[in-house]
Amino acid sequence: MKRTSVALFAILLALPICLPIHARAAAPPSDRTALFRDGNYGMFIHFGLYSHLGGRWQGRTFYGIGEWILRQMKIPLADYMAVAKEFNPSEFDARAVALLARQAGMKWIIITSKHHEGFAMFRSAHPFNIVDATPFGRDPMKELAEACREAGLGFGFYYSHNQDWTAPGGTNGPTQNPDGSPAAFSRYFREKCFPQVREICTQYGPLQFIWFDTPGSMPREQVIELEQLVRGTQPGALLCSRIGHGLGDYVSQGDMEVPPRNREGLWETCDTTNDSWAFAWYDQNWKDSREILLRLVRTVGRGGTYLLNVGPDGKGRIPPPAARYLRQAGDWIRRYPQVVYGAGPSPWGYAMPWGDATTQGRTLHLAVFDWPHDGRLFLPPLQSALRSAHLVAGRKRIPIRWAAAGAWTELRLPAAPPDRPAGVIALEFAEIPRAEAVPGIHPNMPATLLVDFAEVSGAEKKEIRWMEKFGEWKHVTQAGAWSESGRAVWAVEVAAAGDYYVELVYRGEGRPTWTIATDEGVRLENNQNASSVYHAFPFGLLHFSRPGRHTVTVALADGIRDRISLSAVRFTPAE
Ligand code: JFZ
């Protein structure tokens, strides 16, 4: 990225941008969580020596998160450290990065100051750093800190406090000192970790975040020393829970995890614009603006904050597809800031098949990503009186009709959505909207019942996560280890009587026979194949004779009981 001139930067910064709602009524100085709580959207940046390799070493590619290449490809430490002599991100342009974050609608930037491999992206007394060990010779952290201040963005550092693969004594690092004596973690902590955290806390101005990561079995007293160092030097900075030992100002969920149900308190989902955190030459699986916004709104809808990552390449350039889709998503956010900034969680407590909902006091904003083909949008039962409904089209509010559909509410929408990738509907209530967190089966679009929402007995319900490629995490709540009496039971709200195609989403071995039954005595039994990965298998048509509250019960009638796990049941209305 070429360096952005000051004048151009100032002009572009003048672009209209909606500050978090609270910013208008400036949050009291003591409320250091306001930016995180109301901003709801930040930029993560994984930028380091590994960016220069881009997932490739000596002609071979590491298909996984790029910042782990040293360890996963077992590169000799000296060879990796020698890469610093070639690392010259000459096109890194801090102002352009800050501008992109602003244009994306993000409210802060958190960047890797030192990742697990131990290379400092800042001027440090420890010699393995970008200023002293590379031809670049500048401190990009100082440039970015300044650019964020000029742009009105929050700023903070990621720091790998426990793992250091090139420092003797660092976890997963050399076990011997250069003189052959045994390396101790306490020495790494004293001579590198603590001094570097003090450097990043005292040399870059006021910070809003220090994002420690993978605490592992780091001794509690040393974690507390770091916490106290941050509190003493950066009183306005938030610590995420990955500092370890139950400390931190907010909970950082597992990587790339948007929880399926609302969570209380301050928490964050960290995610990335493709599948790798650091730049990886092969990884072109970019999230487009629809996917970015869907995951952002789903995270805010569950009550959380979304931290979305970009991985600059070895020249310091943010990959164009990431920049393009971030800007497109930012354009949408600028049209509907009320859906994101200062927005609260959905009253339903889970995602809708058509999109998601967030709240501003008595107003519920629906972000409709899948516009109903028949113009009818169904809202599961609410416990609050609806006063008005409008389509939000730019600054216009276009009234829309609604009617009770049993305990549900049916909105009548125009054939085409007023905006892409999502149309927004504002619903005003007589009070802060409330609803029961009961999954709904819609009459005009597929709906998925996750095991997260089922009562499971006689089987084991547990949250699992796995990596597709190394570091690419997936998360599921599954029911497994099925006994003969095992049951997964959902209470559901059905909007309309009728036939629904049922699919079971499961993985395992052999050919399981499942039964699916409703409270009306309708029962399906079928035998289908299984696969090693979660897959939706069709099981036939299920009939509901009336709208309203029902139960759906799934059982494993026959199969390799401890080798089969169910993650969801999917209902698609028959035409
Ligand atoms: C860690 C790092 O190892 C990774 O390189 C990247 O920086 C990521 C943001 O953080 O990876 C993690 C850390 C924690 C979990 C998963 C991956 N977790 O708690 O599930």
Side-chain angles (χ1 to χ4, degrees), residues 348-362:
W348 286 294
Y350 62 92
M352 291 292 137
W354 39 257
D356 222 309
T358 64
T359 48
Q360 294 281 355
R362 293 185 294 110

Side-chain angles (χ1 to χ4, degrees), residues 44 46 65 67-68 112 115-116 158 163 165 211 213-214 242 252-255 257 270 277 465 471 473 475:
F44 209 178
H46 277 64
I65 48 179
E67 67 280 8
W68 274 71
T112 48
H115 206 272
H116 306 331
Y158 168 111
Q163 293 196 71
W165 304 335
W211 212 91
D213 189 23
T214 63
R242 294 192 190 185
S252 174
Q253 300 293 136
D255 284 14
E257 176 187 11
C270 64
W277 302 99
R465 58 193 184 99
W473 288 96
H475 307 262

Side-chain angles (χ1 to χ4, degrees), residues 100-129:
L100 172 62
R102 281 271 309 242
Q103 291 166 337
M106 294 162 153
K107 295 300 179 184
W108 60 88
I109 293 179
I110 296 173
I111 187 166
T112 48
S113 63
K114 184 209 81 164
H115 206 272
H116 306 331
E117 30 73 278
F119 180 73
M121 286 293 282
F122 58 95
R123 179 187 301 278
S124 173
H126 190 280
F128 191 41
N129 73 72

Side-chain angles (χ1 to χ4, degrees), residues 240-474:
C240 87
S241 56
R242 294 192 190 185
I243 184 173
H245 290 284
L247 300 174
D249 301 295
Y250 65 87
V251 173
S252 174
Q253 300 293 136
D255 284 14
M256 307 163 187
E257 176 187 11
V258 180
R261 63 167 69 223
N262 288 13
R263 301 217 164 153
E264 294 295 323
L266 290 176
W267 59 270
E268 156 196 275
T269 281
C270 64
D271 203 354
T272 187
T273 41
N274 49 2
D275 293 327
S276 174
W277 302 99
F279 177 71
W281 74 269
Y282 67 88
D283 186 350
Q284 299 303 316
N285 191 26
W286 304 108
K287 293 173 178 70
D288 63 8
S289 59
R290 172 192 160 91
E291 185 61 20
I292 289 172
L293 287 167
L294 186 57
R295 292 171 79 83
L296 167 61
V297 175
R298 286 220 189 287
T299 300
V300 177
R302 297 300 73 76
T305 287
Y306 192 55
L307 182 67
L308 183 58
N309 176 78
V310 292
D313 66 13
K315 298 307 287 175
R317 299 167 300 201
I318 291 177
R324 178 168 66 250
Y325 290 131
L326 282 171
R327 287 194 182 97
Q328 278 179 15
D331 291 343
W332 186 91
I333 296 171
R334 248 185 300 290
R335 297 196 292 273
Y336 309 100
Q338 66 273 33
V339 176
V340 176
Y341 304 133
S346 165
W348 286 294
Y350 62 92
M352 291 292 137
W354 39 257
D356 222 309
T358 64
T359 48
Q360 294 281 355
R362 293 185 294 110
T363 303
L364 184 60
H365 289 110
L366 312 181
V368 184
F369 289 82
D370 290 308
W371 201 257
H373 60 86
D374 56 3
R376 302 186 306 156
L377 194 77
F378 286 84
L379 309 182
L382 284 151
Q383 296 163 332
S384 307
L386 181 55
R387 283 274 185 273
S388 71
H390 292 85
L391 215 47
V392 181
R395 297 192 182 285
K396 285 189 289 181
R397 291 282 184 280
I398 304 163
I400 49 178
R401 289 182 296 120
W402 81 86
W408 293 51
T409 302
E410 178 184 336
L411 304 181
R412 289 292 175 146
L413 306 184
D419 206 335
R420 291 256 183 260
V424 174
I425 293 164
L427 305 180
E428 296 291 338
F429 290 84
E431 59 181 5
I432 291 176
R434 293 174 296 109
E436 218 186 324
V438 176
I441 293 177
H442 295 237
N444 60 347
M445 59 177 62
T448 299
L449 302 184
L450 296 172
V451 161
D452 304 74
F453 296 91
E455 288 298 323
V456 174
S457 58
E460 183 191 36
K461 175 177 179 179
K462 69 177 178 179
E463 289 187 27
I464 63 158
R465 58 193 184 99
W466 70 91
M467 294 195 284
E468 289 292 339
K469 287 192 293 296
F470 181 86
E472 185 192 344
W473 288 96
K474 303 296 179 191

